[in-house]
């Protein structure tokens, strides 16, 4: 799926659930913060009767975006609670704090995912000799099967 938020979320779930309890807890914390952000934006939209929606970019994190009909603000000006970012993209102090919590949760998730993958790689490396032996046996069987097939198809057995 495309989109920086979608890719970011997919990275959070690179390791399947129930592998690490702490990783699962960090994922829940991240999800809760994202849900809280969406709730905050919806609440602000209702409070000020504005058409607000939650948006995301890698550089800005989560921010508030406003889609206006005809490009005119209801009442002619923004509520004082909003800090103008650009055109019709805004943030609030609460949203900036939530973005910080979100980033902290992501750092925890990525670190724990790295630890899990590193352990997996270490375990695989301990048994890599078995994989080499297995691939050697499979390649030998493949060669013998190919020779047997060639003999039956080409009538080499009657020479």
């Amino acid at each position: 799926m495309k989109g920086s938020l979608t890719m970011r979320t997919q990275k959070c779930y690179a390791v399947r659930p129930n592998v690490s309890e702490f990783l699962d807890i960090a994922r829940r914390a991240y999800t809760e913060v994202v849900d809280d952000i969406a709730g905050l934006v919806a609440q602000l939209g209702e409070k000020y009767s504005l058409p607000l929606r939650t948006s995301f970019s890698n550089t800005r994190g989560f921010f508030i975006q406003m889609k206006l009909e005809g490009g005119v603000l209801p009442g002619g000006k923004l509520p004082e609670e909003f800090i103008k970012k650009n055109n019709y993209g805004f943030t609030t102090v609460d949203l900036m704090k939530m973005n910080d919590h979100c980033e902290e949760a992501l750092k925890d998730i990525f670190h724990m995912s790295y630890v899990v993958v590193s352990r997996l790689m270490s375990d695989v490396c301990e048994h890599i000799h078995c994989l080499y032996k297995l691939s050697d046996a499979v390649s030998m069987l493949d060669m013998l099967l190919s020779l047997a097939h060639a003999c039956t198809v080409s009538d080499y057995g009657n020479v």
Side-chain angles (χ1 to χ4, degrees):
M1 298 180 106
K2 283 192 171 187
S4 55
L5 181 59
T6 302
M7 289 173 52
R8 180 178 174 168
T9 303
Q10 286 175 343
K11 280 177 151 180
C12 290
Y13 292 93
V15 174
R16 70 179 170 81
N18 302 321
V19 171
S20 166
E21 185 178 341
F22 293 120
L23 179 57
D24 293 341
I25 291 168
R27 286 178 180 152
R28 277 194 297 276
Y30 171 77
T31 303
E32 287 172 8
V33 172
V34 171
D35 290 345
D36 289 346
I37 288 170
L40 173 69
V41 172
Q43 183 182 23
L44 289 170
E46 288 174 19
K47 180 179 177 181
Y48 295 109
S49 299
L50 293 172
L52 303 179
R53 67 182 176 113
T54 308
S55 292
F56 178 82
S57 77
N58 280 332
T59 54
R60 294 167 61 182
F62 289 97
F63 62 98
I64 302 166
Q65 204 165 35
M66 186 165 40
K67 192 173 188 177
L68 297 176
E69 300 299 320
V72 179
L73 283 169
K77 73 182 231 187
L78 282 173
E80 289 184 21
E81 190 172 356
F82 293 121
I83 301 166
K84 188 170 190 224
K85 289 286 242 181
N86 67 10
N87 293 343
Y88 297 114
F90 311 96
T91 191
T92 67
V93 173
D94 289 338
L95 185 55
M96 287 189 279
K97 288 177 186 174
M98 288 178 171
N99 266 320
D100 290 342
H101 292 302
C102 196
E103 288 302 316
E104 288 172 24
L106 273 176
K107 284 179 186 175
D108 290 343
I109 290 168
F110 293 156
H111 174 72
M112 287 183 243
S113 295
Y114 174 79
V115 169
V116 168
V117 170
S118 294
R119 276 194 216 135
L120 175 65
M121 293 300 293
S122 177
D123 290 348
V124 168
C125 286
E126 286 179 23
H127 302 289
I128 197 79
H129 65 282
C130 295
L131 293 173
Y132 284 133
K133 286 181 181 178
L134 180 63
S135 71
D136 189 39
V138 168
S139 65
M140 181 60 79
L141 284 172
D142 183 49
M143 181 189 74
L144 291 173
L145 180 63
S146 295
L147 288 174
H149 180 70
C151 283
T152 56
V153 170
S154 302
D155 240 0
Y156 287 131
N158 293 334
V159 178

